[in-house]
Amino acid sequence: MKSIHIKYTIIAALTIAIGFTSCKREDFLDRFPKDKFNDQTYFKSETDLKLYANQFYGALPVEFSTNDNASDNMAPNNRNAFLAGTYVVPANGGGWDWENIRACNFFLKRTATAEVPEAVKQKYNAEIRFFRAFFYWQKVVRFGDVPILETDLDEVSPELYAAKNPHKEVMDFVLKDLDYAIMNLGEPSSENRVHKYAAHALKSRIALWEGTFRKYHGLGDAEVYLAAAATASEAVIKSGLYDIYSTGKPNEDYRNLFIQDDLTKNKEAILASIYITNIATTGFTRTVSGSGSGFTKDFVRSYLCKDGLPYALSPLYKGEDTPAAEVENRDPRYAQTIATPGYVYTQNPDGSKLIIEQPNIGTSSTSTGYQPIKGRSSDPALFNANQDNIDRFIFRYAEVLLNLAEAKAELGQLDQAVIDQTINKIRARVGMPNLVLANLVADPNAIFPTLSLPLQEIRRERRVELAGDGFRFNDLLRWKAGKLLENPATITGMKLTPAYKALYPASQVANLPLDAHGYIRVYPNINNWTWNDRMYLYPMPLDQLTLNTKLTQNPGW
């Protein structure tokens, strides 16, 4: 049974009513109102520090399987304005929100004189610097160069009129915060707060992003961050606390991993968001069932066959003329991520079942025919509005293994031992053949044909294992791979032959747009996205450029 104490730490994430207010539009950065917070009455105990830190937990990224809607993995009915090229420079807002960073700085300044033991200060300063690193990284991913602010500001602070710091300088600042967090955070505990291995996991993620971004965008000094990613990943592995979840059921374990109502004892969970019935729940099972989204043809083609070969090379491949043929003999994660014939859509308490016979095309269930089911429960009780109590990952061990494999490959340090420690442990869960470096063959449909074969397969494994979890667009950014979105298959769905189409009610499929080869076109008026390199960054909002003339617009905007 999950503890209510844990619940309130991680998901309720108490929003402390201590006088924070939103920014005035005429100001450059959000600031605290001086008249609504009395420093003399707070920061007097460890409880004060803990409650203040709780406000940031709700900002941590929780993994849901529709988080890849803005990428080549998924194509929702409501097309993404940024990918569609219709995003315009905002008059204000646009992600230029500094409230969380300012709140972190506010805390760090006040704890310098807080009336608590030094060890307690260091512990909660470490939590706050963990969050500040995360928030700053988000800013760099979105805007590139941003100002470094190490104190909370008021109306006359000169930093309000400062220029932006360079991307690399900001990320060095982020790395220092992460290293402080790692040094001063403790071991995992029943409180489910951030801990040293969660900090290592965040460093693994951020350092890999930064290292590869520097490499593929030509910024230089990539090796420092790639090495940091590898070291952080190895620290998690060497702790001995984590492992890949498996019960020896390759056709069930991957799906079951994401529909557990208690991750507190699951060794794959480095940090999880905990949900409890009638206390704090989500509506994910219900919403994903009618999300109007779907995995793309481009994504589906990334699944290997069960012999470990790409579909273009494997004699096991049965073609795309029917969903049953397409999934046959493929990586078992396919049928545990996407609703294919035989999927139990509803498992009723009386033992009766509703089984998917064919994809729910032409409905709100899916835009492409490849309906997401990863993280979706078949329990009808969880289908009720806001009654889903399934725990969700924030940091998962499999990601750390993938990070290590990629970092080692980018550093030129990849060998079979690293592959066995990482990729092959993940593949073993679903009974896929080991990746053997000496036996790799080129995929004729490779989307990264200029890369080494091992790196191609590591990226493929990442795409499949983390499908829907929200990593893909950031991966495309760091690899400078936005042009991949121009492949028409990134907005294309399943093949609908005349024979297969005849299995559906005419009213359901009569107006379904298809391309010349019979594939579902998600957006009838366009054949493919058009990538512009300015899209590697978002634009600065216009009001900030007007109010602070030292700020500059991002290239191309």
Side-chain angles (χ1 to χ4, degrees):
M1 183 70 180
K2 291 178 282 190
S3 109
I4 293 177
H5 173 69
I6 290 174
K7 168 76 237 140
Y8 279 111
T9 299
I10 202 71
I11 195 63
L14 299 173
T15 304
I16 314 304
I18 55 176
F20 302 164
T21 64
S22 61
C23 69
K24 299 177 183 178
R25 287 299 182 195
E26 67 268 27
D27 293 337
F28 303 125
L29 301 174
D30 295 342
R31 295 185 290 276
F32 292 113
K34 294 181 178 179
D35 60 339
K36 294 186 178 180
F37 185 88
N38 187 341
D39 295 3
Q40 305 305 313
T41 61
Y42 211 71
F43 300 118
K44 299 293 186 182
S45 68
E46 180 174 357
T47 298
D48 291 345
L49 305 189
K50 179 186 292 188
L51 291 177
Y52 188 103
N54 281 354
Q55 68 180 294
F56 300 115
Y57 278 82
L60 288 172
V62 179
E63 295 177 10
F64 292 100
S65 68
T66 52
N67 287 350
D68 280 344
N69 273 333
S71 77
D72 55 348
N73 279 0
M74 306 185 83
N77 277 326
N78 297 321
R79 65 184 186 178
N80 181 273
F82 194 73
L83 299 188
T86 59
Y87 188 88
V88 298
V89 178
N92 49 58
W96 194 258
D97 176 1
W98 292 80
E99 182 176 353
N100 281 330
I101 289 173
R102 184 195 59 192
C104 290
N105 290 337
F106 187 92
F107 178 94
L108 294 170
K109 182 177 180 180
R110 271 65 184 179
T111 53
T113 57
E115 299 174 5
V116 294
E118 191 63 28
V120 173
K121 288 183 188 180
Q122 290 178 342
K123 174 184 174 182
Y124 289 99
N125 282 349
E127 277 200 28
I128 298 303
R129 291 180 69 168
F130 169 97
F131 286 110
R132 187 171 68 174
F134 174 69
F135 296 140
Y136 253 112
W137 175 57
Q138 287 184 314
K139 284 286 181 285
V140 170
V141 170
R142 190 172 183 89
F143 296 109
D145 301 346
V146 294
I148 295 176
L149 305 170
E150 298 187 68
T151 186
D152 58 303
L153 308 178
D154 60 28
E155 286 80 355
V156 297
S157 296
E159 292 91 341
L160 291 174
Y161 301 91
K164 294 185 282 188
N165 294 80
H167 170 130
K168 290 173 68 174
E169 188 176 320
V170 180
M171 290 307 298
D172 289 345
F173 175 74
V174 167
L175 194 62
K176 289 179 182 178
D177 269 354
L178 287 172
D179 286 340
Y180 182 93
I182 288 167
M183 184 177 296
N184 292 283
L185 286 171
E187 298 286 322
S189 73
S190 61
E191 287 189 288
N192 204 34
R193 302 186 75 84
V194 295
H195 50 79
K196 66 188 302 180
Y197 298 112
H200 276 299
L202 181 60
K203 183 178 178 180
S204 167
R205 179 183 298 180
I206 289 177
L208 179 66
W209 190 92
E210 178 64 9
T212 49
F213 190 96
R214 290 186 179 196
K215 177 176 179 176
Y216 292 103
H217 289 260
L219 301 185
D221 304 316
E223 291 78 9
V224 173
Y225 276 82
L226 294 171
T231 300
S233 302
E234 289 169 335
V236 176
I237 295 169
K238 291 175 181 177
S239 74
L241 297 175
Y242 307 102
D243 203 353
I244 293 296
Y245 167 82
S246 176
T247 67
K249 298 177 180 178
N251 294 318
E252 300 176 18
D253 282 343
Y254 183 74
R255 177 172 182 256
N256 289 342
L257 174 64
F258 302 102
I259 55 172
Q260 297 184 13
D261 67 357
D262 187 359
L263 286 177
T264 60
K265 298 178 179 63
N266 189 307
K267 295 189 74 173
E268 193 157 344
I270 299 171
L271 192 68
S273 190
I274 309 301
Y275 299 90
I276 296 179
T277 304
N278 298 325
I279 295 177
T281 55
T282 74
F284 181 73
T285 287
R286 183 182 183 89
T287 56
V288 76
S289 302
S291 66
S293 188
F295 289 101
T296 65
K297 175 61 69 176
D298 184 72
F299 169 74
V300 169
R301 286 173 174 164
S302 66
Y303 283 106
L304 297 172
C305 290
K306 286 187 176 180
D307 55 8
L309 292 173
Y311 75 90
L313 299 177
S314 176
L316 300 179
Y317 182 60
K318 300 296 184 181
E320 301 177 333
D321 283 354
T322 69
E326 192 169 18
V327 73
E328 188 175 353
N329 297 329
R330 302 292 284 279
D331 184 326
R333 284 172 290 191
Y334 183 151
Q336 296 175 69
T337 302
I338 298 168
T340 51
Y343 169 65
V344 179
Y345 196 80
T346 304
Q347 175 71 63
N348 294 310
D350 63 4
S352 62
K353 303 176 182 178
L354 174 62
I355 298 176
I356 291 288
E357 297 180 0
Q358 56 205 34
N360 288 317
I361 55 173
T363 74
S364 63
S365 295
T366 177
S367 55
T368 64
Y370 301 116
Q371 180 182 350
I373 58 166
K374 181 178 176 181
R376 180 197 180 277
S377 174
S378 298
D379 183 348
L382 274 61
F383 186 86
N384 293 325
N386 298 315
Q387 290 300 306
D388 190 333
N389 67 345
I390 294 171
D391 291 352
R392 308 290 173 177
F393 290 99
I394 295 173
F395 296 109
R396 181 160 70 94
Y397 187 59
E399 182 211 343
V400 171
L401 298 184
L402 291 165
N403 293 348
L404 177 59
E406 186 177 346
K408 288 290 191 179
E410 293 286 7
L411 288 165
Q413 299 173 1
L414 187 70
D415 57 22
Q416 190 60 45
V418 173
I419 290 294
D420 291 342
Q421 183 184 31
T422 58
I423 302 300
N424 289 340
K425 282 187 68 69
I426 294 170
R427 287 189 175 189
R429 174 183 10 232
V430 293
M432 284 293 288
N434 282 344
L435 190 158
V436 180
L437 294 178
N439 297 340
L440 287 176
V441 294
D443 182 353
N445 297 312
I447 62 175
F448 300 106
T450 62
L451 298 180
S452 69
L453 294 183
L455 194 51
Q456 289 183 40
E457 291 308 314
I458 289 168
R459 289 190 181 185
R460 182 203 301 273
E461 192 71 25
R462 181 179 182 87
R463 189 180 193 185
V464 168
E465 178 66 23
L466 303 181
D469 293 343
F471 293 92
R472 184 63 178 179
F473 186 65
N474 279 354
D475 287 345
L476 297 180
L477 295 181
R478 65 189 177 92
W479 295 330
K480 203 176 183 181
K483 285 289 185 181
L484 289 180
L485 287 155
E486 294 187 340
N487 181 346
T490 66
I491 54 174
T492 298
M494 62 178 273
K495 188 175 184 180
L496 192 58
T497 64
Y500 200 76
K501 185 176 181 179
L503 299 177
Y504 290 88
S507 59
Q508 186 173 328
V509 296
N511 297 318
L512 202 62
L514 307 177
D515 69 12
H517 303 286
Y519 295 101
I520 293 174
R521 293 179 59 184
V522 181
Y523 313 119
N525 297 326
I526 58 173
N527 293 319
N528 57 275
W529 298 131
T530 300
W531 180 262
N532 186 314
D533 280 354
R534 72 178 187 175
M535 295 161 67
Y536 286 114
L537 296 174
Y538 274 76
M540 293 282 296
L542 294 176
D543 64 337
Q544 301 303 311
L545 301 176
T546 301
L547 293 166
N548 182 359
T549 57
K550 290 183 180 179
L551 297 178
T552 56
Q553 186 55 280
N554 280 326
W557 292 98

